[in-house]
Amino acid sequence: MTREENVQKQLAGRFPEVSATIRIARERRIFVDVPEKRFIEVLDYVREELGFPILCLIIGLDEGERFGIIYVLSSSDGNIVTLKRHVPRESPVIQSVYDRLPNSEIYERELADLFGITVTGLPEGPRYPLPDDWPAGQYPLRKDWKPEMLGSKEAAINE
Amino acid sequence: MAQSLFNIIVFPGFLFLCLAGVCAEYFDRIFHARMQNRKGPPWFQPVADFIKLSAKEDIIPEEADSFMFRAMPVVAVAATVTSFLYIPLWGSQALFSFEGDVIVVLYLLTIPTMTFFLAGWYSTSLYASVGAVRTITQLFAYEVPLFMAVLAPALLADSWSLSGIAAYYRAHPLYWVFNLPGLAVSLVILLGKLEKVPFDIPEAETEIVGGVFTEYAGRYLAFFRMTIDIEMVVASSLVAAVFLPFGLGFGSVVGFILYLLKVTAVIAAICLLRTIFARLRIDQMVDFCWKYIAPAALLQLLVNIVLKGVLSQ
Amino acid sequence: MSRVTIPLGPQHPALKEPANFSITVAGEKILSTSSRLGYNHRGMEKACEERTYIQDMYLLERICGICSHSHSTAFVQTVEEIAGLDVPRRALYIRTLIGELERIHSHLLWLGVAGHEIGFDTLLMYSWRDREVVMDLLALLCGNRVNYGINTIGGVRRDITAEQIAGALRDMDILEERTRYYIDIATSEPSFIARLAGVGYISREDAVRLQAVGPTGRGSNVAIDIRATDPYAAYGEVDFKVITDSHCDVYGRAVVRLLELMESYRIVRQVLKEMPDGPVTVKAPRKIPAGEAVSRVEAPRGEDVHYVKGNGSDKPERVRVRASTMANIQAVNKMMENNNLADVPIIIAAIDPCFSCTDRCVRVIGGKREDLGWRDLRRHGISWYRKHWGIDFGELNRKLHSLRGER
């Protein structure tokens, strides 16, 4: 049995509700959709017990009704598990994983700035990557955001 | 009176030193460039830099002490030029001399460093303040070894004037060889005095922007740069007079050529050192000066004391 | 001595790109630091959603001047994976070749920058002069010195000829000899070692916890190299060592980069000798099917991660880029603890930072802009130099080629 199938079997055994969504895209790539309720549990399990301690990246996705958030976890032998969770567009709130994975800070700040997802539990710090005087309520990576939505002041800076 | 004015303003005073400083800077830059495998600047570059800087706007920070900020460059130039009048260039007689002028010259050469400190301090900018503190820290590290190294030949010559030292070594042509360790010590210290790599810590560009000169622009900066150029000539002349006093009795033409060669050799040695080293950290610099340079200077002093005893018998 | 907070950046001689570090010092000792990024945020991910895949590839290649090939490779790999394209082996070998040449030029560049940060400008001049050899080689192979434009979806755009292979092998010999000299300097020059050893210490545990990547991690003995652990292009078929060092400081990172150069020469030679025959590209569909893929590439600075989600049209639904500096920047504040103010530039430089990579690309919002095409720009440049300086580029080019022939 390959490493990927092993991961699939263990994960499905521990969390039956995700078993249908595990997809081995190619060698070393495993995609999993995780229900929001059990997300942290699954994350910890994959991280600690399946041996994927490295957080490569957190990706935000605008899927219309809801936001998808993908956590890309990697093992030291080159395998990648991506865990995807969903939050509703009206109340996009997630708990930070900063206490588990200290390098998540910058990716979570990006989620907050570019998607308007509220991340609770982050330490105090500067915003990233938008400027400090960026108008509130403008989240550039949402699909319904257009550059024209910026006021004339911001547009003038770019001329 | 007219003679004195000529001496102070034209030769060997201000104008001559400006010219010499410009030539020294050019030589230093082109030699540095060639050793780094670069083409280097054209011959008029130092003059062009001076003219360009003089033409720029003078900006004085609001927070800075305006009087000190403007006075410091002038004081620096004046002190360096004055010290040059006591250094014998060829032959054994300087323009002015009195017993004890070697101490005066050393102190006059400390004044530019002090003005750098004050200039940085009164700029009140963060980078300048850090640079100012570094300048003074560095001064404390190299000043004592420099005094010891320069006073050792004086001790042997039994004279506290530069002209007296030159006369002694003219009378005893090969005795300057005893002072070679002192020459090495003073070359290293010149790097610190002129703030060149590896001791360009006070103006380390990549660390504290421009160090003490961060806030300076225009004419004032041009003056400071001119000071450093002139200081390079004066300090090299001092080293040449104290440590390389040979070939003094051949008249003024040969003497002048020989003097130029000596100064060029000193500048080339400094340039070589600054090409082959990385900048040290301030703590490493202080350690280095007290651990290696100061003992070496002390050794030179001891050697000369013993020599004096042996030779006078 | 009282505490002072010294701002470093966004504009500072030590930084080649904008970032801000606030450094609180007592005298020369660093008490604490904090960083602010984002000065170069150019909205590139949003821009990608509005362009076709081919346009995106060129856009993403311009994320960074130094690791441009890494970014475009990572991107085309994701698209090829979604589209299910089978890239010809010769194309994979050429990608590997350019990737390694890029690493060589980047590491030599880093060596020079590191020298400059510690006031050792001679090292800068020397290593950048030698870097010209590999830059010329890249220009010979790709027609460009910086953005190579060699990748395309489904393969590479240019084949390489037997003469080019011979020229490249010759250049490798020159570079290898020069690199030996730099390794000698790095291990014997006392002022160089004094400024690097013990500076910017980060233990293996901290490097793992903060997930430092690339030479920064490997300098702390974290043996992760995407080329070996998650092989892409032709890396699965070539033999090379993953270089690690246990110094855990800036010196360790310098050693890793220098030794990696030697490994890169080995890889380039293997790739050139074993280059398979065949086509260099397969036809890629204009519309890429729905799907998602994650791809990693070992850029000179560490791993680049690209994520692409397709929706069946000719434009991607989402493109996400993570450059290596973004992973490493979080370790920098840790590295600065207990160091001197004078060490800050070299600590920052030691991760080989590229904040433009981290922040990503440009967008003109509103306003009018006169667009000059590449052709117009080139023509304008040539005529400007001829008019103002009397420089004839045709003549220069001929000289360059004859020099090349002589060597």
Side-chain angles (χ1 to χ4, degrees):
Chain A
M1 194 160 48
T2 61
R3 174 84 203 265
E4 296 84 348
E5 285 163 352
N6 195 19
V7 169
Q8 178 176 28
K9 187 168 152 261
Q10 281 185 294
L11 197 55
R14 177 74 185 267
F15 301 97
E17 58 268 59
V18 303
S19 62
T21 63
I22 304 176
R23 182 167 65 87
I24 299 177
R26 66 165 170 96
E27 51 171 344
R28 300 191 296 274
R29 294 287 184 278
I30 306 155
F31 290 83
V32 189
D33 277 7
V34 185
E36 178 62 19
K37 259 189 242 157
R38 304 204 65 178
F39 183 79
I40 295 293
E41 268 178 79
V42 175
L43 180 78
D44 283 346
Y45 179 69
V46 171
R47 203 165 58 81
E48 280 163 6
E49 281 167 50
L50 296 183
F52 289 83
I54 304 167
L55 175 70
C56 283
L57 177 61
I58 300 176
I59 304 159
L61 289 173
D62 183 355
E63 298 179 336
E65 308 283 272
R66 55 184 190 172
F67 292 122
I69 302 166
I70 301 176
Y71 292 67
V72 181
L73 295 170
S74 161
S75 66
S76 53
D77 56 2
N79 286 275
I80 285 181
V81 172
T82 66
L83 301 174
K84 187 172 180 185
R85 74 202 284 191
H86 297 279
V87 289
R89 197 185 189 90
E90 301 84 58
S91 58
V93 181
I94 57 165
Q95 173 69 32
S96 167
V97 294
Y98 178 73
D99 47 349
R100 298 169 169 77
L101 297 156
N103 71 325
S104 72
E105 182 186 350
I106 200 163
Y107 310 127
E108 286 172 341
R109 288 198 199 284
E110 260 199 66
L111 285 182
D113 256 23
L114 301 177
F115 284 95
I117 295 171
T118 311
V119 184
T120 56
L122 266 180
E124 287 285 305
R127 65 187 292 175
Y128 177 81
L130 297 176
D132 291 331
D133 57 353
W134 187 261
Q138 305 255 12
Y139 303 113
L141 276 186
R142 288 189 178 183
K143 287 282 176 193
D144 55 5
W145 186 86
K146 296 275 174 286
E148 294 75 39
M149 287 164 70
L150 285 175
S152 54
K153 182 187 143 219
E154 289 80 18
I157 295 170
N158 283 283
E159 264 173 32
Chain B
M1 180 67 195
Q3 175 70 25
S4 296
L5 265 183
F6 177 80
N7 284 337
I8 288 168
I9 293 172
V10 183
F11 184 87
F14 185 66
L15 288 179
F16 168 74
L17 275 176
C18 285
L19 185 70
V22 162
C23 294
E25 188 193 333
Y26 169 70
F27 174 74
D28 180 49
R29 279 170 74 171
I30 195 111
F31 192 52
H32 188 51
R34 287 297 155 88
M35 280 195 287
Q36 289 185 341
N37 226 299
R38 286 186 289 125
K39 194 167 175 294
W43 63 269
F44 54 82
Q45 191 63 49
V47 184
D49 282 354
F50 186 82
I51 293 170
K52 183 198 75 179
L53 273 178
S54 311
K56 296 257 176 188
E57 186 188 357
D58 298 324
I59 300 166
I60 298 171
E62 272 180 22
E63 296 285 313
D65 184 316
S66 169
F67 172 73
M68 290 299 271
F69 192 85
R70 280 179 297 168
M72 279 309 123
V74 184
V75 175
V77 173
T80 344
V81 173
T82 314
S83 63
F84 194 59
L85 300 176
Y86 296 99
I87 299 174
L89 305 184
W90 60 88
S92 51
Q93 190 55 45
L95 209 55
F96 302 104
S97 80
F98 57 89
E99 199 58 23
D101 62 8
V102 58
I103 306 286
V104 172
V105 166
L106 284 173
Y107 271 110
L108 282 172
L109 281 179
T110 307
I111 290 179
T113 315
M114 293 304 295
T115 60
F116 296 164
F117 164 73
L118 290 173
W121 192 256
Y122 283 106
S123 297
T124 61
S125 127
L126 273 177
Y127 300 120
S129 308
V130 175
V133 174
R134 285 182 177 191
T135 308
I136 215 79
T137 316
Q138 195 167 298
L139 179 75
F140 288 135
Y142 67 64
E143 201 66 1
V144 175
L146 177 69
F147 270 62
M148 289 199 289
V150 173
L151 294 187
L155 202 76
L156 191 60
D158 207 10
S159 162
W160 293 101
S161 95
L162 286 163
S163 300
I165 295 173
Y168 176 79
Y169 287 100
R170 189 175 174 180
H172 304 83
L174 276 178
Y175 279 15
W176 63 274
V177 178
F178 297 131
N179 297 324
L180 282 179
L183 175 67
V185 166
S186 57
L187 280 179
V188 173
I189 289 167
L190 278 198
L191 289 170
K193 208 155 192 58
L194 301 170
E195 301 191 350
K196 298 211 181 280
V197 177
F199 301 144
D200 68 332
I201 304 160
E203 48 182 302
E205 178 201 323
T206 48
E207 294 161 19
I208 46 173
V209 191
V212 290
F213 305 132
T214 308
E215 299 301 327
Y216 273 86
R219 248 181 343 205
Y220 302 119
L221 181 61
F223 257 92
F224 265 135
R225 293 190 46 161
M226 187 52 90
T227 308
I228 294 177
D229 289 349
I230 292 177
E231 206 186 347
M232 183 150 69
V233 176
V234 174
S236 307
S237 305
L238 177 69
V239 169
V242 174
F243 294 103
L244 302 170
F246 52 85
L248 295 175
F250 298 114
S252 57
V253 176
V254 178
F256 189 68
I257 293 170
L258 211 56
Y259 160 72
L260 285 185
L261 285 177
K262 284 178 196 168
V263 169
T264 312
V266 171
I267 295 175
I270 295 171
C271 189
L272 180 72
L273 287 174
R274 87 178 172 111
T275 310
I276 58 174
F277 285 115
R279 182 193 307 127
L280 292 177
R281 251 187 348 242
I282 187 81
D283 54 325
Q284 291 169 340
M285 189 273 176
V286 173
D287 272 8
F288 176 73
C289 277
W290 287 114
K291 270 188 195 153
Y292 302 103
I293 297 301
L298 205 60
L299 186 73
Q300 171 75 69
L301 211 56
L302 287 176
V303 165
N304 283 16
I305 289 171
V306 173
L307 266 178
K308 189 158 174 53
V310 173
L311 292 174
S312 64
Q313 276 170 11
Chain C
M1 196 177 199
S2 61
R3 291 168 175 224
V4 185
T5 300
I6 295 179
L8 201 104
Q11 262 78 38
H12 190 278
L15 300 168
K16 310 302 170 228
E17 287 163 280
N20 173 270
F21 295 88
S22 294
I23 298 156
T24 307
V25 292
E28 292 271 330
K29 275 264 174 273
I30 299 173
L31 297 175
S32 65
T33 57
S34 68
S35 53
R36 167 83 166 95
L37 299 173
Y39 296 96
N40 246 352
H41 183 67
R42 296 160 289 173
M44 193 175 237
E45 288 171 358
K46 183 80 175 176
C48 280
E49 292 171 12
E50 294 167 14
R51 286 165 170 77
T52 64
Y53 284 96
I54 285 288
Q55 287 175 323
D56 285 349
M57 191 188 73
Y58 290 107
L59 181 61
L60 291 175
E61 187 158 10
R62 280 150 182 81
I63 286 178
C64 171
I66 308 298
C67 28
S68 57
H69 182 74
S70 307
H71 282 291
S72 81
T73 307
F75 178 72
V76 295
Q77 280 177 180
T78 54
V79 179
E80 282 156 3
E81 190 183 327
I82 297 170
L85 294 175
D86 201 9
V87 183
R89 276 187 73 218
R90 190 173 174 88
L92 293 181
Y93 268 74
I94 293 177
R95 274 183 197 169
T96 310
L97 171 68
I98 305 296
E100 285 312 303
L101 292 178
E102 182 180 75
R103 190 179 323 279
I104 293 166
H105 105 65
S106 173
H107 282 1
L108 284 173
L109 176 124
W110 178 84
L111 184 66
V113 171
H116 177 64
E117 303 288 13
I118 57 170
F120 196 3
D121 280 350
T122 313
L123 184 62
L124 165 78
M125 299 300 167
Y126 270 57
S127 69
W128 282 35
R129 178 198 64 190
D130 296 333
R131 176 172 165 267
E132 283 304 299
V133 175
V134 69
M135 299 304 281
D136 284 351
L137 181 61
L138 280 165
L140 185 76
L141 297 178
C142 316
N144 253 345
R145 281 164 61 92
V146 177
N147 289 310
Y148 315 112
I150 190 105
N151 280 324
T152 189
I153 296 166
V156 293
R157 291 172 58 230
R158 284 162 178 260
D159 202 351
I160 69 171
T161 63
E163 296 92 79
Q164 284 172 338
I165 290 180
L169 283 170
R170 211 166 42 232
D171 285 349
M172 286 306 114
D173 294 338
I174 300 171
L175 287 168
E176 185 165 347
E177 188 201 318
R178 296 305 303 169
T179 307
R180 278 186 206 287
Y181 173 66
Y182 296 130
I183 292 176
D184 185 41
I185 287 185
T187 48
S188 64
E189 162 59 37
S191 65
F192 187 75
I193 297 171
R195 282 307 303 274
L196 299 191
V199 168
Y201 183 85
I202 184 162
S203 65
R204 186 174 190 278
E205 290 70 42
D206 280 331
V208 171
R209 194 172 62 85
L210 295 166
Q211 293 166 11
V213 298
T216 312
R218 291 196 286 276
S220 290
N221 225 350
V222 183
I224 295 181
D225 186 328
I226 302 305
R227 293 176 294 171
T229 56
D230 191 0
Y232 57 95
Y235 286 108
E237 298 168 31
V238 293
D239 171 46
F240 65 97
K241 275 201 305 243
V242 174
I243 305 285
T244 55
D245 191 276
S246 50
H247 279 88
C248 303
D249 53 14
V250 177
Y251 186 65
R253 281 157 231 157
V255 169
V256 164
R257 287 197 173 91
L258 282 167
L259 295 179
E260 269 185 16
L261 278 171
M262 301 305 272
E263 288 303 307
S264 288
Y265 303 141
R266 267 182 68 203
I267 297 174
V268 169
R269 288 206 183 97
Q270 288 177 48
V271 166
L272 288 171
K273 283 185 184 136
E274 290 159 23
M275 178 93 57
D277 288 328
V280 293
T281 177
V282 289
K283 179 133 180 56
R286 202 170 59 83
K287 289 187 176 172
I288 304 294
E292 57 184 346
V294 177
S295 157
R296 292 195 288 179
V297 161
E298 182 75 22
R301 282 97 187 253
E303 63 176 72
D304 284 345
V305 187
H306 280 229
Y307 168 89
V308 173
K309 186 176 187 194
N311 56 6
S313 73
D314 59 349
K315 290 173 185 164
E317 169 86 9
R318 173 86 168 99
V319 175
R320 176 75 165 94
V321 177
R322 195 223 58 194
S324 29
T325 303
M326 198 160 173
N328 281 333
I329 196 73
Q330 308 185 51
V332 168
N333 289 335
K334 177 82 193 159
M335 290 176 198
M336 294 216 214
E337 281 175 11
N338 301 321
N339 275 288
N340 279 318
L341 177 61
D343 296 326
V344 171
I346 185 66
I347 293 174
I348 297 173
I351 69 160
D352 202 355
C354 182
F355 301 115
S356 302
C357 276
T358 308
D359 294 346
R360 307 176 297 280
C361 202
V362 87
R363 194 185 160 89
V364 175
I365 299 173
K368 259 169 64 179
R369 188 178 72 170
E370 199 181 334
D371 279 318
L372 282 174
W374 172 239
R375 207 176 282 273
D376 305 318
L377 266 178
R378 188 180 142 80
R379 201 172 295 139
H380 174 74
I382 291 173
S383 66
W384 193 88
Y385 274 101
R386 184 172 297 148
K387 199 170 129 200
H388 291 263
W389 296 96
I391 296 173
D392 185 357
F393 282 98
E395 181 63 26
L396 277 179
N397 258 332
R398 276 189 292 282
K399 264 192 200 152
L400 202 71
H401 281 289
S402 67
L403 276 178
R404 220 170 221 300
E406 278 164 26
R407 204 180 63 211

